[in-house]
Amino acid sequence: MKRTITVKLITVVLCICLAAVLAACGSSGTRRSYLVYYANTDFDDIVHREYSMSEEQTKDIYTKVSELMHQMFETDLSDEKYSSPKPDYVQVTDYVISNDGILTVDFSEDYNRMTNVQAIILRAAFVLTVIQIEGVNGVEFTVDGAPITTSQGNPVGIMTADQFINILLNEEGMLKQEADVTLLFANEEGTALVPVTSHFEISSNNVSMEE
C-alpha cells in the first residue's frame, strides 16, 4: 500500500515538473490568463473558460480588448458547451476607451432585436470579460451611438462587474440575479443618512439588476 502511494506521488511530481519544463520551452514571453465569458448552449446562463494571451497580444489595451472580443464572438465553439453571447446578426460597430478607463462599445441597431435575457447575457459576458484588463474601469454600451436604456427608458449607464454579482438559472427557468445593495435612509431625526445593506434577488426575463 505504501509503495503504491509512493509511486503515485512520484508520478504526480514528475508530471508537474514536466508541465513546467514544457511551459518554459514553449513560451516566447510572459503570458496573462483571462476568464472569457460565454452563453451556455441553451442561452439562459453564462459560463466561462480560461484563455491565455501571449506577450505580443498584450501590448496595449486596444489589442487586449480586440483579442478578448475575438475569443467571445468569433471563436469556433461548435464542439464546446459554450456559445457566443452575441447573436450573429448583432455587430460591434465601434469601441473606444476614454482617458479615465471607460470602454464604450457601440452595437448595430439589430441589438434591439434581442430578448431581454439575450441582452443581459451579452452585457454580463462582455463586462465580466473585459473588466479584467488593467486600465478598463467600466463599460458603456450604445446602439447606433445612442446609450442603451432599460425597459423603462432609463439609461443603463456605465457598468462594472459588481452589477453582475450572480446570474443564475433558477428553478422556474428564468435568470436570477442576486446582489447586496446599500441604500441610504434618513435617521429618525432627519439630520443624517444611514446606510442600510439589503440583499435583493430578481427572477425575471424582463427586468435586469441595473433596473
Side-chain angles (χ1 to χ4, degrees):
M1 180 67 177
K2 289 183 179 180
R3 178 180 174 82
T4 302
I5 294 175
T6 301
V7 171
K8 288 183 178 179
L9 287 174
I10 292 174
T11 302
V12 170
V13 171
L14 289 174
C15 288
I16 293 174
C17 292
L18 179 60
V21 171
L22 290 175
C25 293
S27 175
S28 59
T30 303
R31 299 187 71 87
R32 167 69 193 275
S33 293
Y34 295 87
L35 292 179
V36 180
Y37 287 80
Y38 304 88
N40 64 359
T41 52
D42 292 328
F43 221 101
D44 54 19
D45 201 356
I46 57 174
V47 291
H48 64 75
R49 66 177 179 178
E50 188 173 333
Y51 173 70
S52 179
M53 282 194 201
S54 66
E55 186 176 12
E56 180 68 22
Q57 294 169 307
T58 58
K59 284 184 175 180
D60 56 56
I61 293 181
Y62 280 96
T63 303
K64 286 182 276 192
V65 170
S66 177
E67 179 60 24
L68 289 180
M69 284 199 301
H70 176 80
Q71 291 300 315
M72 278 191 291
F73 302 149
E74 299 178 33
T75 302
D76 182 12
L77 302 170
S78 56
D79 296 328
E80 301 285 352
K81 62 180 179 180
Y82 313 95
S83 298
S84 171
K86 181 182 68 64
D88 291 338
Y89 57 80
V90 178
Q91 303 298 318
V92 176
T93 60
D94 193 20
Y95 61 95
V96 63
I97 303 170
S98 65
N99 291 332
D100 55 355
I102 303 303
L103 171 63
T104 301
V105 181
D106 189 64
F107 292 117
S108 61
E109 189 176 0
D110 288 321
Y111 173 94
N112 296 321
R113 292 171 51 191
M114 293 193 297
T115 65
N116 194 56
V117 169
Q118 289 177 313
I120 292 173
I121 287 178
L122 172 56
R123 296 199 298 266
F126 198 104
V127 172
L128 292 172
T129 298
V130 302
I131 205 71
Q132 300 169 72
I133 299 173
E134 184 177 358
V136 176
N137 300 319
V139 182
E140 183 179 31
F141 297 106
T142 59
V143 175
D144 277 353
I148 288 177
T149 60
T150 66
S151 59
Q152 298 176 336
N154 300 316
V156 170
I158 297 171
M159 311 196 77
T160 63
D162 294 340
Q163 289 165 284
F164 299 104
I165 294 174
N166 191 17
I167 297 181
L168 302 170
L169 180 67
N170 68 10
E171 295 179 357
E172 288 73 32
M174 296 182 295
L175 289 176
K176 180 173 73 175
Q177 303 173 74
E178 301 181 37
D180 290 321
V181 179
T182 300
L183 304 175
L184 298 176
F185 296 92
N187 61 10
E188 294 182 359
E189 294 77 20
T191 58
L193 294 176
V194 179
V196 176
T197 300
S198 301
H199 185 76
F200 288 87
E201 292 186 7
I202 295 177
S203 297
S204 174
N205 284 342
N206 299 311
V207 180
S208 57
M209 182 61 75
E210 63 262 24
E211 296 184 64

